[in-house]
Amino acid sequence: MRSRASVLHLDMDAFFASVEQRDKPSLRGKAVIVGGTSGRGVVSTASYEARAFGVHSAMPSAQARHLAPQAAFLSGRFEAYRESSRVVMGLLHEVSPLVEPLSLDEAFVDLESADIDTGDVAAVRRLAATLRHQVAGRTEGLTCSVGIGSSKFMAKVASEMAKPGRGHQDHVVLVEPGTEADVIAPLPVRAIPGVGPVAAARLDRLGMKKVADIRQASREELVRELGQAWGAGLADLALARDDRPVISSREAKSISVEDTFEHDLTDRAECERVVDRDAALVCARLQHSGRFARTVTLKAKMSDFSIWSRSVTMTGATDSAERVRRMARHLLGSLDLREGVRLLGVGVANFTTSAQEELFAVDDHGTLVEDVDRLPTVEGPLGGLAAGPFGRRRSMDEGMHHWRPGADVEHTRWGRGWVWGSGHDVVTVRFECRGSSIGRVRSMAADDPQISRADPLPLAWTLDHRVTTVDEDPGVDPTTPD
């Protein structure tokens, strides 16, 4: 821990939902839920209006519809979120050269590297207030919460305390050095980084519901119950001891794309088509990153929710979609499809900065994979299957004229709008956009040649070319609850 409150954590408020409310005038002040819109979908982000009905991130979409049937359910627009994220991250880089993005909507900033006297608490608070004002201006209306503390842990706790509805009107909380232990004592154990639902349930069985309860246990007891690394780390965090530095760059460890299906798949040919297109999407991202991969992984979630995963590692490295596809198809050959597959995903890892020859492959058991180059090729770059939000693609049975709810569209007569709903070969559009008045709703044939998909409206601010996000980092899921 530092002697000064010099670590800042910025967290955008209900980020995905707020972007949708910003860009869709009719949704401002309304309940908005972003995520999977199918029966098996999961809520990614809910607006604060939707949270008032009990909807929260990671909740099944079917349950969210039951709680808030009047809400707008949108499938999401990743490019719009990424653009706003780049603007925010660029602004943070103007404050300090040491910025550690955690996801599209939050980051740590090391104020010791900024042009500010961190010993002047009033100056630090003014910086945070100015930062919030600039975020709102550059993103055309998005809001954020800011926490400042003597460590990353305390800055994160402070930003959570600054969230809307927590009683801090300026949405800035600074935890004074020396008060950390008292501040976190009454908090639930979930406030500690790494304590998820499973860990919280285990601690609850041990009689530990709040951070103060953990302190009552000895380090030896925590190590005995939770293991050496986790038990010791938990004991330190319960006392607010955290010396982790702010790291300015994070190298992605893997890139993956997954599909969740409306109905369990048992047809091998259909699964092969999914794998082929996932491999193409993964390699497009790999090529964009300028790297090459040695390991290919195929992941499946079965009908009973069990996870199946296999991988092969090559002696060389590649960014070839065809080669990754062949490897993924080889792995698919060992998957028993009789019970049905809910989810399929292809991933690549073990990156290098240059291609390498001698591309033999070895599977999880160290066995040489032979004849993978004899697999048939697939015609077309993506076979006509469109990319969806959050690194996932829409399901195979959605049809050529599928219109995702919330997607940007343009009509040759009525201009820009967004998909309000679709079905039975009809698409309904509300014609409005950021900066317009609330628009009218019109319906038309799904294959009407006058309507087409459109890119999100760009923000007016120039992005700093130095700024990157970490949406390809395996530890950072773009669907992570905010």
Side-chain angles (χ1 to χ4, degrees), residues 322-333:
E322 181 63 19
R323 185 166 292 278
V324 170
R325 182 191 72 83
R326 290 171 178 169
M327 295 294 178
R329 277 235 195 165
H330 169 80
L331 295 170
L332 181 65

Side-chain angles (χ1 to χ4, degrees), residues 13 45 108 111 143 150 163 205 229 253 258 284 399 421 425 466:
D13 298 328
T45 305
F108 288 114
L111 297 181
T143 64
S150 57
K163 282 291 181 179
R205 290 193 295 270
K253 301 276 192 310
E258 297 177 354
D425 297 321
R466 298 170 301 170

Side-chain angles (χ1 to χ4, degrees), residues 286-306:
L286 182 63
Q287 292 162 7
H288 180 73
S289 73
R291 291 172 295 178
F292 303 84
R294 295 183 60 234
T295 299
V296 178
T297 299
L298 182 70
K299 171 187 173 183
K301 181 183 289 186
M302 312 309 292
S303 60
D304 62 356
F305 291 90
S306 61

Side-chain angles (χ1 to χ4, degrees), residues 104-128:
L104 291 178
D105 60 343
E106 62 176 316
F108 288 114
V109 181
D110 192 332
L111 297 181
E112 287 186 348
S113 299
D115 185 19
I116 184 174
D117 179 7
T118 55
D120 186 342
V121 174
V124 173
R125 289 184 183 276
R126 286 195 299 271
L127 170 67

Side-chain angles (χ1 to χ4, degrees), residues 65 83 92 112 128 151 161 200 210 223 259 283 315 323 326 343 346 352 371 389 430 452 455 464 468:
R65 288 184 184 276
E83 182 181 23
L92 296 182
E112 287 186 348
S151 66
M161 295 169 61
K210 298 185 179 299
V223 169
D259 293 271
C283 286
T315 57
R323 185 166 292 278
R326 290 171 178 169
L343 173 150
V346 174
T352 68
D371 296 331
R430 185 179 286 277
S452 60
D455 293 328
D464 188 330
T468 58

